[in-house]
Amino acid sequence: METTAVLDRWQFAVTIVYHFLFVPLTIGLAWFVAGMQTAWHRTGKEHYLRMTRFFGKLFLINFALGVVTGIVQEFQFGMNWSVYSRFVGSVFGAPLAIEGLVAFFLESTFIGLWIFGWDRLSPRVHLAMIWLVVAGTTLSAYFILAANSWMQRPVGFEMKDGRAEMTSLWHVLFQPLQITHFFHTIAASLMTAALLVIAASAYRLRKARREDAGQAGAGRVDAGRVDADVTLFRAAARGALWVTALASLAVIIVGHFQAQILVEHQPMKMAAAEALYETQAPAPLSLLAIGPWEKHPKRTNVDIVLPHGLSVLSTNEWNGEIRGINDIQREYQRRYGPGDYTPIIGSIYWSWRVMITIGFLGVLYGAFWLWFIRRRGWRRSRWFAWTAYAFLGLPFLANTAGWLLTEMGRQPWIVQGLLKTHAAISPTVGKGHVIATLAGFTVVYGVLAAIMGWLMVRAIKAGPERPAPEVTREDSLPPMLY
């Protein structure tokens, strides 16, 4: 049974981590595309229209792959985690039903109207379609996160016949942990999408510059198209730099409030994130340490710390007390019985630092290039492009690290304080079935990853549509064909 539980966890981890690569990018790109189309609707400037349609293609590719990979999660709940599904069904039923019947149908319906409505709907109505798509993707994230937040901090329920029965939908949907999770995810999504917009814009700007320098003199390049592309992608990059800096700052600020909630309701997760074994007041913030981590009263001889840092971060007090792993372990044994209630310390420690480090790098990256462009214009485009490519993968790494911290830091619980992970699996699903499906998902998802990468690169290399001589908001536009 223990081996089966480990395999079930690996299977769900592979599918959910892969799926979560698409979710933040889909949410963030929806907001970007809506903002771009709004700018075109308000100003009538052609480069905003071309920008909308170009990044709209990337949004649709990512949306399609996200839907495909997300459907698998619903089946896993019933097949591999039937005990868990029965235990939480009453509580999960409401937010997941709302997400499926309202949010997902909302975004799916209106995304179709947006795709095929360019030449059939008035500009104002068509603009409303993309904003309804934004509402759908954002609400979908909210309800899914509400269900997950309940697993971290169960509220608004009572136990009946060994099951959790909901007593307050309000508490499930609007508990403080859910609010911080939601805004943290939205900010991270905007940061993710912004860095993709910057990387795509940097590539197109470099290509336009090479075309202009290498072929314009020979008369083989449409100078008007090159100039239009430069205008388009400079505007896109500048706006995305602002979003990168502000969204990264928002991630850090909201994360500060999340840490305070964790200290109160999931103290083991916070202690594990610091590899803090003994209760301390004040508690320093570990900036860099090297293991071994498990069952170690001291992190290592190499441990760079910020005095009082963890106390300030987690309690807003200079000398605030932070409980250690050993103290919390003893309390949990008294409350829940014998057992090991500590997660994998090294994984939690590094996941938190990866996430935090990338958040600060996002602020510095956006602020630096905004300053540089303001002072020196668009020189050094080569360096801008290479840094854009280098930073493109960082938000995906941060999102994965944050997800691992959230889920692995809760172990051994699947529902904090109520149901342990090893007790939540389906008793009739054997190891052979799990191994076969795990291998199958890994292969299929690998193929999907290759297809996704090829489609995105192909769309970026193809570039935006050619500029028209004159385009206004009242023009009858050709249909958007993807």
Side-chain angles (χ1 to χ4, degrees):
M1 182 66 74
E2 287 294 333
T3 304
T4 305
V6 171
L7 290 171
D8 281 327
R9 288 181 62 188
W10 267 105
Q11 185 188 82
F12 197 82
V14 167
T15 54
I16 193 64
V17 168
Y18 186 87
H19 175 62
F20 200 65
L21 295 176
F22 301 101
V23 171
L25 185 57
T26 296
I27 297 171
L29 280 177
W31 280 90
F32 263 92
V33 173
M36 293 167 181
Q37 187 167 343
T38 301
W40 172 66
H41 183 78
R42 292 176 63 88
T43 66
K45 294 181 179 179
E46 181 190 8
H47 68 271
Y48 286 125
L49 170 62
R50 298 176 66 229
M51 191 187 302
T52 301
R53 293 162 75 93
F54 175 75
F55 288 104
K57 292 180 183 179
L58 305 184
F59 164 68
L60 291 173
I61 293 169
N62 191 76
F63 177 84
L65 268 292
V67 170
V68 170
T69 57
I71 291 174
V72 176
Q73 312 303 319
E74 308 294 336
F75 290 101
Q76 283 186 305
F77 285 136
M79 295 174 65
N80 292 48
W81 302 91
S82 60
V83 176
Y84 164 79
S85 298
R86 181 181 181 277
F87 184 85
V88 304
S90 173
V91 178
F92 264 42
L96 290 185
I98 296 172
E99 190 273 335
L101 296 175
V102 179
F104 182 70
F105 282 157
L106 182 70
E107 59 182 324
S108 300
T109 299
F110 290 108
I111 203 170
L113 291 172
W114 182 71
I115 293 172
F116 299 107
W118 281 91
D119 61 338
R120 296 173 176 87
L121 302 174
S122 70
R124 184 171 297 179
V125 173
H126 189 258
L127 176 63
M129 296 301 101
I130 189 61
W131 278 111
L132 287 170
V133 172
V134 171
T137 57
T138 306
L139 286 173
S140 181
Y142 189 91
F143 291 119
I144 293 295
L145 288 171
N148 183 266
S149 295
W150 187 86
M151 295 166 61
Q152 313 291 332
R153 182 183 175 233
V155 294
F157 77 101
E158 62 182 10
M159 295 298 298
K160 287 185 179 180
D161 301 324
R163 300 176 68 242
E165 300 281 346
M166 182 187 295
T167 58
S168 174
L169 180 61
W170 176 270
H171 285 97
V172 172
L173 293 181
F174 298 104
Q175 63 159 308
L177 184 61
Q178 157 64 4
I179 302 301
T180 56
H181 272 179
F182 173 70
F183 284 108
H184 193 76
T185 301
I186 295 301
S189 299
L190 290 171
M191 176 186 174
T192 304
L195 286 168
L196 175 66
V197 171
I198 292 170
S201 299
Y203 172 81
R204 296 302 311 177
L205 286 171
R206 287 283 295 165
K207 185 172 183 179
R209 184 176 180 180
R210 287 195 300 268
E211 289 179 346
D212 188 42
Q215 298 181 3
R220 293 193 298 268
V221 172
D222 183 351
R225 180 181 63 81
V226 172
D227 291 342
D229 284 358
V230 169
T231 301
L232 186 163
F233 289 109
R234 282 183 178 180
R238 187 181 290 106
L241 285 169
W242 275 106
V243 174
T244 299
L246 295 176
S248 301
L249 183 61
V251 166
I252 295 169
I253 294 172
V254 177
H256 167 68
F257 293 106
Q258 276 187 301
Q260 296 177 346
I261 296 174
L262 291 180
V263 166
E264 181 178 357
H265 298 290
Q266 289 185 306
M268 180 63 82
K269 182 184 292 186
M270 198 66 204
E274 275 296 302
L276 186 70
Y277 278 88
E278 301 300 332
T279 300
Q280 294 188 35
L285 178 67
S286 175
L287 301 178
L288 176 65
I290 302 174
W293 308 101
E294 315 305 322
K295 307 300 181 186
H296 225 267
K298 185 178 180 181
R299 281 183 285 260
T300 179
N301 291 328
V302 179
D303 190 8
I304 304 172
V305 301
L306 178 65
H308 301 267
L310 188 60
S311 294
V312 174
L313 173 67
S314 303
T315 67
N316 281 341
E317 296 180 5
W318 185 249
N319 294 314
E321 180 182 270
I322 304 298
R323 299 176 62 195
I325 294 171
N326 293 335
D327 186 19
I328 301 168
Q329 168 69 13
R330 288 189 290 268
E331 178 196 333
Y332 283 1
Q333 286 182 329
R334 290 192 299 268
R335 184 187 303 181
Y336 304 115
D340 186 2
Y341 296 93
T342 61
I344 303 174
I345 307 301
S347 298
I348 308 306
Y349 179 91
W350 283 113
S351 294
W352 198 36
R353 269 139 198 85
V354 167
M355 181 178 60
I356 292 175
T357 301
I358 293 174
F360 279 100
L361 286 176
V363 175
L364 295 174
Y365 176 80
F368 170 78
W369 280 109
L370 285 170
W371 170 83
F372 188 92
I373 292 169
R374 182 179 178 85
R375 290 291 300 271
R376 301 189 180 184
W378 288 93
R379 303 173 187 174
R380 304 289 183 184
S381 61
R382 179 181 178 185
W383 288 107
F384 177 68
W386 282 113
T387 56
Y389 304 154
F391 271 74
L392 177 58
L394 293 186
F396 296 97
L397 180 60
N399 294 334
T400 301
W403 189 258
L404 293 177
L405 171 65
T406 300
E407 301 306 301
M408 293 182 66
R410 186 183 62 244
Q411 299 302 319
W413 302 103
I414 193 169
V415 179
Q416 181 73 35
L418 297 178
L419 181 66
K420 290 185 177 180
T421 303
H422 69 81
I425 65 174
S426 300
T428 59
V429 179
K431 291 186 291 185
H433 294 90
V434 181
I435 292 173
T437 52
L438 173 59
F441 285 146
T442 302
V443 172
V444 172
Y445 279 9
V447 172
L448 288 176
I451 294 173
M452 164 74 175
W454 178 75
L455 289 173
M456 294 288 277
V457 170
R458 182 171 179 265
I460 292 172
K461 285 186 174 180
E465 61 188 16
R466 285 182 170 272
E470 292 185 7
V471 178
T472 66
R473 287 168 292 181
E474 291 75 20
D475 284 338
S476 177
L477 301 174
M480 177 184 282
L481 299 177
Y482 294 118

